Amino acid sequence: MEKRPNWESPIQFVLACVSYAVGLGNVWRFPYLCQMHGGGGFLIPYLIMLLLEGVPLFYLELAIGQKMSRGSIGAWTAISPYLGGVGLASVVTSLYLCLYYNIINAWSFWYLFHSFQSVLPWAECPINSNRTGPIEECERATPTQYFFFRETLNISPSIEENGGIHTGQAMCLLLAWMITYLFIVRGVKSTGKVVYFTATFPYVVLFIYLIRGITLQGAFNGIKYMFIPKMEQLANPNTWINAATQIFFSLGLGFGSLIAFASYNHYNNNFERQAIIVSMINSGTSIFASIVTFAIYGFKATVNYENCLERVRLLLLNTFNIAEDSITNDNVFTWIEKLNTTYPVQFAEIENQLEACDLESELNTAVEGAGLAFIVYSEAIKNMPLPQLWSVLYFFMLLLLGMGSMLGNVTAIITPLRDFKVLNGVVCLFCMLVGLSFTTTSGNYWFTIFNDYAATFSLLFVVLIEVITVSYIYGIRRFEKDIEDMLGHRPNWYWKIMWTITSPLLLIFLFVTYIVNYIRGGTPTYQAWDKELGKTVVKEYPIFGQIFIGLLLVSSVSCVPLTALYDRMLLYILHGKKPICI
């Protein structure tokens, strides 16, 4: 039998976990939740949920992987043949993630390559074919929106209208998968070398961005917004639900990646300390990235606010006979009140043209996901001095964060498949070919379906089964002895209470809440690009889209009962009517 490879050192394992856990969600999801739930007020439920749910479940998965020295399927099958479906569900979920996740890396490549121009292509609208002015669709939107939706995605008006493959995006996707393959071609031996770079360099870029960010005009408006808590948000149940969900997905629980990584550890490796270290690094990175992001938010909001004031100032100057240097951005509101009182009839004629300029409302505009990473950041970058430099640094950082997470996602698939002698290249080729569908004109809508529905429901279910299995089927006392055998001591009361009571109850609550919200939500909707309006509009998914969503939700979860039923029938056939015990 082929000897199982090991990490060359514990630091390689820690860096692999950091590279996997610290991903795009830390940069574009956590800041959005902070903004939506009252800035610093969100940190309170976030840190509480980290202690009640995140660290204990992270510890549990590392312990299982290290004890069993197998991938997710093998590890759960070793606990009970009926539980192989738990590992299979993790592999299916990771497969879904791999199918669409690398398209984000393809977008990062696309933006990175376009950053090496004298004028960033999203800084201004392109000229129309008649050379008479900017393209109308771009004028109705913004240059950054136009570049993302039209140049990058070449998006169709709806999911029902499809077109050909975007050649540029397809080439970027091919490049992303080629690099992914090179990273994992020799398994843990090559991955262990790569993580030294993918886990550390993003911090270098974030630190550089922090230094640059706090020197930008209005940066402290954003940072102040983040750290001044709106304590009333603590009474909002959604704040606590989103905090628990963010911890859950940020640490990468349930995908099988942590079990796969831990399976390459030496038997007596101190995974308890590593679980705490990686969890703290992940959460610390979220807060650190948020400071950088809110500095950028503050800069962008301040620029937009001052541009708004300038437009109002020009409107007043053009309407009333006033000396040009009389009205400044600092006294615009004073002049509005004065002119409204002095010239009410004339003022009433332009009242509908006056914009409501408000810095607070600019800061309250919450954006997440691709909208934050590829539109809001691009908008801010184009207004910086030396925008090409900051663009290259930013999108290279995004690329490394995405690639680091891809290492974990692919490892979660190839580790269990080692027993079946499935080649790494076959997995990468399959995912790339299916992923080409996301480079079509309707591909972004399918990307959204996978991003919204492929993992959430199934991961909650998988981790709930995991913690119940360890605590009540495998047995908490038996699990304690396994940990003592590996570490030389048993887990303390905190871990046992979390595994047997707190974490299962939290997971049940999140699972039920997800189902209730899905049912109450009615027909699922998505954001479609309307080129006539130059913005996204809400549309309902057609019947085939709703059926596909249902299949995504059920397909991975059904692996658990179907595998148990298959093993039960197989053992019944082999053993007749003899009783079969777990």
Side-chain angles (χ1 to χ4, degrees):
M1 184 178 177
E2 183 184 351
K3 183 183 177 181
R4 189 174 190 79
N6 294 114
W7 300 105
E8 292 181 3
S9 66
I11 191 65
Q12 277 193 356
F13 169 66
V14 170
L15 289 175
C17 289
V18 169
S19 181
Y20 165 65
V22 176
L24 296 170
N26 299 79
V27 175
W28 72 20
R29 175 70 178 166
F30 183 83
Y32 161 74
L33 292 175
C34 251
Q35 190 179 19
M36 189 170 68
H37 293 297
F42 181 72
L43 296 178
I44 297 171
Y46 176 79
L47 294 175
I48 290 173
M49 289 300 174
L50 176 67
L51 296 176
L52 297 182
E53 173 196 38
V55 183
L57 296 176
F58 198 89
Y59 183 135
L60 182 142
E61 290 205 351
L62 294 189
I64 292 168
Q66 186 164 309
K67 170 64 180 176
M68 300 303 175
S69 292
R70 301 179 188 181
S72 54
I73 296 176
W76 292 109
T77 303
I79 292 175
S80 167
Y82 296 130
L83 294 173
V86 178
L88 185 58
S90 294
V91 171
V92 171
T93 304
S94 291
L95 177 62
Y96 288 158
L97 191 67
C98 283
L99 291 178
Y100 78 89
Y101 198 89
N102 237 359
I103 194 66
I104 304 173
N105 293 327
W107 297 342
S108 297
F109 269 125
W110 177 262
Y111 272 79
L112 181 63
F113 294 152
H114 280 83
S115 299
F116 296 96
Q117 299 185 32
S118 58
V119 177
L120 293 177
W122 56 84
E124 54 189 37
C125 288
I127 303 300
N128 61 31
S129 57
N130 296 327
R131 315 293 296 177
T132 56
I135 293 175
E136 290 184 9
E137 181 182 353
C138 182
E139 285 191 304
R140 285 190 288 266
T142 64
T144 48
Q145 288 177 317
Y146 179 83
F147 184 81
F148 180 69
F149 286 107
R150 181 59 55 217
E151 301 288 345
T152 303
L153 304 180
N154 191 26
I155 199 166
S156 61
S158 74
I159 193 173
E160 297 171 273
E161 300 178 44
N162 196 16
I165 288 175
H166 188 312
T167 306
Q169 283 301 314
M171 296 301 293
C172 288
L173 181 64
L174 174 62
L175 179 60
W177 272 112
M178 286 175 64
I179 293 175
T180 302
Y181 173 71
L182 292 175
F183 282 178
I184 53 98
V185 64
R186 293 178 56 238
V188 70
K189 296 297 181 184
S190 55
T191 302
K193 300 291 191 300
V194 170
V195 294
Y196 283 107
F197 187 63
T198 59
T200 57
F201 189 76
Y203 290 98
V204 176
V205 178
L206 277 175
F207 184 74
I208 294 172
Y209 251 93
L210 175 66
I211 300 302
R212 182 67 188 101
I214 60 178
T215 62
L216 292 170
Q217 178 191 8
F220 282 97
N221 290 330
I223 296 173
K224 184 172 65 175
Y225 182 92
M226 174 185 173
F227 282 106
I228 296 178
K230 297 178 180 176
M231 302 306 290
E232 65 273 12
Q233 282 291 330
L234 295 178
N236 181 359
N238 286 330
T239 301
W240 293 85
I241 292 170
N242 282 331
T245 307
Q246 174 63 16
I247 285 289
F248 186 87
F249 294 111
S250 180
L251 290 173
L253 302 169
F255 285 103
S257 301
L258 299 174
I259 293 176
F261 280 151
S263 71
Y264 298 112
N265 278 336
H266 294 284
Y267 188 73
N268 298 115
N269 175 65
N270 190 348
F271 59 85
E272 179 178 88
R273 181 174 59 196
Q274 292 164 342
I276 296 171
I277 290 172
V278 174
S279 299
M280 294 300 118
I281 289 174
N282 180 68
S283 296
T285 303
S286 292
I287 297 171
F288 180 39
S290 289
I291 295 173
V292 177
T293 300
F294 274 88
I296 302 296
Y297 268 145
F299 168 64
K300 179 180 177 294
T302 302
V303 169
N304 288 347
Y305 173 65
E306 292 187 349
N307 288 341
C308 178
L309 291 177
E310 180 63 19
R311 289 192 295 271
V312 172
R313 188 182 80 89
L314 291 175
L315 178 63
L316 296 178
L317 289 173
N318 292 333
T319 305
F320 300 95
N321 187 21
I322 305 171
E324 187 171 344
D325 57 353
S326 301
I327 304 179
T328 65
N329 286 353
D330 295 329
N331 63 16
V332 163
F333 295 114
T334 303
W335 272 98
I336 288 175
E337 292 180 11
K338 183 178 179 181
L339 293 171
N340 188 23
T341 304
T342 310
Y343 307 101
V345 176
Q346 198 173 357
F347 189 86
E349 295 176 0
I350 65 164
E351 193 168 9
N352 291 335
Q353 301 176 48
L354 285 174
E355 298 178 60
C357 303
D358 183 22
L359 181 60
E360 187 72 14
S361 65
E362 288 285 350
L363 289 168
N364 281 334
T365 305
V367 183
E368 67 170 323
L372 172 59
F374 295 99
I375 297 177
V376 174
Y377 259 93
S378 297
E379 186 79 31
I381 286 170
K382 77 175 187 179
N383 292 316
M384 294 181 184
L386 296 175
Q388 293 83 359
L389 171 64
W390 300 108
S391 182
V392 168
L393 277 174
Y394 173 69
F395 289 110
F396 188 57
M397 179 193 70
L398 272 194
L399 194 56
L400 288 179
L401 289 173
M403 284 296 179
S405 296
M406 275 302 297
L407 290 180
N409 299 334
V410 176
T411 301
I413 300 173
I414 63 176
T415 299
L417 295 181
R418 286 178 74 248
D419 295 335
F420 302 100
K421 305 299 180 185
V422 177
L423 299 176
N424 295 352
V426 173
V427 174
C428 292
L429 180 62
F430 172 77
C431 291
M432 188 206 72
L433 292 175
V434 176
L436 287 173
S437 61
F438 298 115
T439 67
T440 62
T441 55
S442 64
N444 188 61
Y445 303 129
W446 292 101
F447 167 87
T448 303
I449 287 179
F450 273 84
N451 193 42
D452 290 346
Y453 300 103
T456 309
F457 180 71
S458 57
L459 290 181
L460 288 171
F461 179 77
V462 165
V463 179
L464 176 60
I465 297 297
E466 284 182 359
V467 72
I468 290 175
T469 296
V470 169
S471 298
Y472 299 104
I473 298 178
Y474 188 74
I476 194 67
R477 293 185 182 278
R478 188 177 170 189
F479 190 52
E480 285 181 64
K481 290 179 181 178
D482 290 340
I483 292 173
E484 183 180 25
D485 189 38
M486 290 185 284
L487 301 182
H489 65 85
R490 294 195 174 203
N492 60 34
W493 59 269
Y494 162 74
W495 302 111
K496 288 183 280 188
I497 290 175
M498 294 301 107
W499 292 330
T500 56
I501 301 172
T502 309
S503 293
L505 290 177
L506 265 175
L507 288 167
I508 290 171
F509 172 72
L510 291 174
F511 187 69
V512 172
T513 300
Y514 181 89
I515 294 174
V516 170
N517 288 342
Y518 181 76
I519 294 172
R520 285 182 176 176
T523 305
T525 60
Y526 67 102
Q527 296 284 337
W529 178 251
D530 188 322
K531 66 178 183 180
E532 300 302 325
L533 298 176
K535 64 179 183 179
T536 57
V537 294
V538 177
K539 290 188 177 183
E540 292 186 348
Y541 281 111
I543 296 298
F544 68 82
Q546 296 175 43
I547 292 173
F548 189 80
I549 289 171
L551 291 174
L552 275 183
L553 292 173
V554 172
S555 56
S556 52
V557 170
S558 63
C559 293
V560 178
L562 290 178
T563 302
L565 182 62
Y566 171 79
D567 283 321
R568 177 77 178 182
M569 292 176 62
L570 185 62
L571 289 173
Y572 182 82
I573 292 170
L574 293 175
H575 299 280
K577 295 184 179 181
K578 294 180 181 179
I580 302 164
C581 300
I582 294 178

